[in-house]
């Protein structure tokens, strides 16, 4: 079927865009629209044109997949079509339903008239992709809705229901009921009106423009962070308000060109497509039948279990919460209630909703109460024997077909699955702390996990408003396996010459939410010590992280003990460098015979990020991650990797993999590095040699 259909309804031509999924304005659709307009212009029997989409989408905007490719500019481009619309000697009416976004709205703004359903969603969301509206939207929208509203829409990119804009000149008529019938009637009404109104001809004035834009600029700058797009958007609106139309268009054109070629927009578009790609598992068809999930259960009401239970209650799924002792259950429930109460205090939740959610969380001490749940998630101590006892009990009580999930962060999921007689129903659901807040959900696919279990938990993950990303089974799965390398390198940096505050400051300057040592103090240094001790036992010859071990031997477990890599004042999370820590570091360097040196911040950043990248490459090659962008989505949503850099793998792509591989080879000469640590992963070496990228 054609992506754009033309037909006549009496003397009115109807051009219908129908290019799934969202009428993205790719070249074939643009060609279709241009042909339709030409046909309408040619036919003397046609007096007016209606341009419309589908109930779901008038148009989702430019086809994002075309960006940075010659296709985007291939004629007819969006500007050509808008120019044709404005030059047409017959009125064109945009009939808007569903989403009308970005280039889609710009297309409508090029029409002479616009009619819409009240629930159509209107936005110029380009800023969310690090861009500005490049099809005249910044110049035409303010002429219809005013400077203030247009500025808000362009700088935030948020959708606004058409009904809310009904009083503005954006819409000539709001239609109730049948959109096409309404649009046709409107078109007949205006068919003879001349001159044809063009948005570009409307006057626009902003009183006290200089003061208005100075104040707006200060506000926008505060929120923009490292992203250049919001201020560029503002610049365009300012041009619309203060300069002739064509000059404003030139400001817009230059701004768009600057942004579309910049790294921040590349990162945001990578995140957009990466999130959607993460939903796809190549060997599991989209139409795989799902297991119904109407109820859930969580084992363990500790740090993680409580947050996990909240996720279910938040979307109305009843959840049983099981503990071994009443005190633990009471403590867990009190923490949950406190979390909700804080939301009420902040005005994010009503007391009524709090009560509803608490009522959905049903505490129990008895496994017998769980049997009918559709899914159970275990979040007990990270100890194989404890997990074994729990999964054996679950196997005994859970109904057939129930999904048995573990929140383990490091243990072998395939072993856990074999504690049951139904390993096909076992899957890893690795939440991140705080589990009710963090968006990432690492979905660990065991050797025997059934396909419909995978499909069901991926869908459930989205239902509880997480970003589910698939990982295979290995020590630490994707995220923690990589962070292990990053933390190990941070420790080598200390031994070689840096101090925790320098390492943290260097990586925080790059945009990380927290450096490795502040992060470790927050999570608890005993957690990684516990894992290290297991590694020492499993690999007897391995080099020990002496500095970190000594810190832990002194009970410096982090914020919870008032001291860790830093010291803390009671009730205050500010990290203060501590001479005791510095002495331990200097002592260990001395004992190892290391002549300490000043390490530049740029080298710290490279060594930390490339440690992630090199392990990430191994993970992709082993198939533990399905694709490099999955790793990036995990790091953006679970590990505080800066969004404007797009994740470790895209960061490496943008640096150039040949440079990354060369630096790894340099770092490999460091005698303090573990053997093989810096040897470029085969995939990295191969892509670097071929001049290719991960993404
Ligand atoms: N171009 C190409 N593909 C698009 C697209 C677009 N503008 N918008 C969405 N898609 C694709 C998605 O990639 C996805 O594809 P997949 O099924 O192969 O993964 C599919 O449409 C469905 O998307 P969602 O999963 O996001 O579906 P939803 O129903 O949840 O949301 C939406 C639909 C609200 C349209 C949402 O996709 C969205 O916000 N899209 C981005 C819109 C946008 O940013 N438009 C501006 C583009 S830039 C522009 O127009 C520049 C111009 O000013 C010159
Ligand atoms: P926690 O110690 O805060 O909570 C564990 C809870 O399980 C305790 O309340 C304990 O009473 C309960 N429990 C222990 N044995 C039990 C049993 N047999 N039956 C029922 N309840 C039992 O631990 P936390 O931090 O919540 O960790 C739980 C799991 O989540 C572990 O596997 C951990 O590796 C994983 N995890 C932890 C993260 C974190 O940041 N804390 C992040 C991601 C995963």
């Amino acid at each position: 079927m054609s992506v754009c259909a033309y037909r006549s309804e009496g003397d009115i031509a109807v051009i219908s865009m129908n290019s799934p999924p969202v009428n993205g304005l790719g070249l074939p659709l643009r060609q279709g629209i241009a042909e339709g307009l030409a046909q309408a212009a040619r036919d003397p029997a046609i007096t007016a044109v209606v341009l419309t989409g589908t109930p779901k989408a008038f148009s989702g905007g430019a086809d994002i997949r075309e960006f940075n490719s010659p296709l985007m500019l291939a004629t007819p481009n969006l500007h050509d079509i808008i120019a044709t619309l404005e030059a047409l000697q017959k009125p064109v009416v945009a009939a808007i339903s569903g989403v009308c976004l970005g280039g889609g709205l710009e297309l409508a703004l090029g029409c002479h008239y616009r009619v819409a359903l009240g629930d159509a969603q209107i936005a110029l969301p380009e800023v969310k992709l690090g861009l500005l509206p490049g099809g005249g939207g910044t110049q035409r929208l303010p002429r219809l809705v005013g400077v203030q509203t247009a500025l808000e829409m362009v700088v935030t990119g948020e959708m606004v229901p058409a009904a809310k804009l009904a009083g503005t000149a954006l819409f000539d008529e709001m239609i109730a009921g049948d959109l096409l019938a309404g649009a046709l009637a409107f078109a007949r009404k205006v068919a003879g009106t001349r001159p044809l109104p063009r948005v570009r001809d409307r006057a626009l004035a902003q009183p006290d423009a200089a003061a208005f834009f100075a104040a707006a600029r200060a506000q926008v700058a505060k929120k923009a962070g490292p992203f250049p797009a919001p201020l560029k958007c503002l610049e365009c609106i300012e041009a619309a308000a203060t300069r002739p139309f064509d000059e404003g268009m030139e400001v817009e054109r230059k701004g768009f060109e600057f942004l579309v070629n910049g790294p921040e927009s590349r990162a945001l578009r990578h995140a957009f497509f990466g999130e959607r790609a993460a939903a796809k598992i190549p060997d599991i068809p989209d139409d795989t039948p799902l297991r119904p999930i109407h109820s859930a259960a969580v084992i363990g009401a500790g740090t993680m279990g409580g947050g996990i239970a909240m996720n279910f209650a938040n979307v109305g799924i009843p959840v049983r919460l099981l503990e071994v002792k009443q005190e633990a259950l009471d403590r867990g429930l009190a923490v949950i209630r406190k979390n909700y109460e804080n939301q009420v205090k902040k005005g994010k939740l009503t007391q009524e909703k709090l009560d509803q959610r608490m009522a959905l969380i049903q505490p129990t001490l008895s496994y017998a109460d769980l049997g009918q749940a559709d899914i159970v998630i275990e979040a007990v101590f990270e100890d194989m024997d404890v997990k074994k006892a729990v999964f054996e009990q679950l196997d005994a009580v859970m109904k057939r077909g129930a999904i048995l999930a573990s929140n383990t962060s490091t243990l072998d999921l395939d072993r856990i699955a074999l504690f049951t007689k139904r390993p096909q129903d076992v899957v890893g659901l690795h939440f991140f702390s705080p589990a009710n807040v963090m968006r990432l959900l690492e979905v660990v696919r065991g050797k025997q996990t059934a396909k419909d279990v995978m499909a069901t938990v991926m869908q459930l993950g989205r239902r509880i408003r997480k970003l589910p990303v698939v990982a295979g089974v290995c020590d630490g799965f994707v995220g923690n396996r990589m962070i292990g390398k990053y933390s190990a390198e941070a420790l080598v940096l200390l031994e070689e010459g840096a101090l925790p505050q320098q390492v943290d400051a260097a990586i925080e300057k790059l945009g990380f939410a927290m450096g490795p040592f502040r992060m470790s103090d927050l999570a608890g240094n005993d957690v990684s010590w516990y894992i290290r001790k297991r590694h020492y036992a499993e690999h007897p010859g391995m080099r020990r992280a002496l500095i970190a071990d000594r810190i832990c031997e002194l009970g410096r477990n982090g914020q919870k003990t008032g001291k860790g890599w830093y010291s803390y004042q009671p009730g205050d999370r500010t990290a203060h460098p501590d001479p005791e820590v510095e002495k331990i570091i200097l002592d260990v360097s001395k004992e190892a015979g290391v002549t300490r040196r000043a390490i530049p911040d740029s080298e710290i950043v490279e060594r930390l990020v490339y440690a992630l990248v090199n392990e990430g490459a191994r993970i992709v090659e082993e198939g533990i991650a399905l694709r490099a962008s999955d790793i990036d989505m995990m790091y953006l949503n679970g590990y505080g990797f800066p969004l404007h850099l797009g994740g470790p793998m895209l960061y490496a792509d943008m640096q150039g993999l040949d440079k990354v591989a060369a630096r790894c080879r340099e770092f490999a000469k460091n005698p303090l590095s573990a053997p093989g640590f810096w040897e470029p992963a085969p995939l990295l070496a191969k892509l670097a040699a071929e001049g290719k990228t991960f993404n």
Side-chain angles (χ1 to χ4, degrees), residues 169-422:
L170 179 58
F171 298 117
D172 298 281
E173 203 169 287
M174 300 305 294
I175 308 281
D178 187 334
L179 177 67
L180 186 62
L184 287 171
F186 182 86
R188 288 196 178 100
K189 209 163 62 187
V190 297
T193 306
R194 295 292 182 278
L196 288 169
R198 300 189 311 174
V199 178
R200 63 153 62 219
D201 300 328
R202 293 176 70 98
L204 178 66
Q206 174 63 33
D208 294 327
F212 173 85
F213 283 106
R217 181 168 278 112
Q219 265 186 16
V220 173
K222 225 190 285 167
K223 288 203 187 138
F227 293 98
L231 279 170
K232 288 271 172 205
C233 287
L234 179 134
E235 224 175 86
C236 294
I237 302 284
E238 185 171 20
T242 56
R243 299 210 218 167
F245 183 84
D246 287 327
E247 281 183 29
M249 287 298 284
E250 188 53 17
V251 172
E252 183 189 276
R253 189 191 63 74
K254 282 195 183 137
F256 187 85
E257 204 172 292
F258 170 80
L259 293 172
V260 80
N261 292 312
E264 297 86 0
S265 174
R266 184 165 171 203
L268 288 172
R269 281 178 278 144
H270 177 61
F272 179 86
F273 285 117
E275 286 191 9
R276 281 150 187 85
K280 299 182 172 78
I281 310 176
D283 65 326
I284 303 184
D286 287 345
D287 57 359
T288 303
L290 305 181
R291 299 189 188 185
I293 304 288
H294 301 298
S295 62
V298 174
I299 316 289
T303 309
M304 296 304 290
I308 296 171
M310 286 174 76
N311 290 320
F312 287 97
N314 292 349
V315 297
I317 301 176
V319 53
R320 299 252 179 203
L321 184 57
L322 181 138
E323 265 286 350
V324 267
K325 293 208 181 87
Q326 187 64 46
E327 304 87 82
L329 204 47
D330 293 343
R331 206 172 341 137
L333 279 173
V335 173
I336 294 175
R337 178 173 287 280
K338 186 134 193 280
N339 273 327
Y340 280 137
E341 279 169 358
N342 284 339
Q343 289 181 24
V344 172
K345 267 188 215 147
K346 288 182 194 154
K348 291 183 179 165
L349 194 72
T350 60
Q351 182 65 38
E352 190 191 354
K353 281 252 163 67
L354 179 155
D355 294 338
Q356 282 166 4
R357 290 184 186 180
M358 286 307 292
L360 283 169
I361 303 175
Q362 301 146 8
T364 179
L365 297 172
S366 164
Y367 274 87
D369 288 339
L370 310 185
Q372 291 310 305
D374 298 315
I375 183 167
V376 55
I377 301 169
E378 162 279 310
V380 302
F381 302 136
E382 186 76 341
D383 179 300
M384 205 45 123
D385 291 335
V386 183
K387 306 273 188 206
K388 179 168 189 274
V390 168
F391 273 83
E392 283 173 353
Q393 298 218 49
L394 291 176
D395 196 24
V397 301
M398 298 308 293
K399 69 178 179 188
R400 270 188 59 191
I403 295 175
L404 314 185
S406 172
N407 184 47
T408 181
S409 33
T410 52
L411 299 176
D412 182 345
L413 185 83
D414 290 327
R415 268 187 72 199
I416 294 178
L418 292 177
F419 299 143
T420 74
K421 290 189 263 331
R422 37 175 140 174

Side-chain angles (χ1 to χ4, degrees), residues 38-39 214 231 236 239 263 304 341 420 446 538-539 544 568 672 683:
Q39 197 170 340
L231 279 170
C236 294
M304 296 304 290
E341 279 169 358
T420 74
E538 287 169 4
H539 313 281
R544 296 188 171 221
Y568 300 85
L672 296 177
L683 178 64

Side-chain angles (χ1 to χ4, degrees), residues 21-22 60 62-64 67 103 106 125-126 129 133-134 159 272 276 280:
V22 297
D63 188 330
I64 310 167
F67 286 2
E106 292 174 307
E126 287 85 347
L129 299 172
M159 290 199 203
F272 179 86
R276 281 150 187 85
K280 299 182 172 78

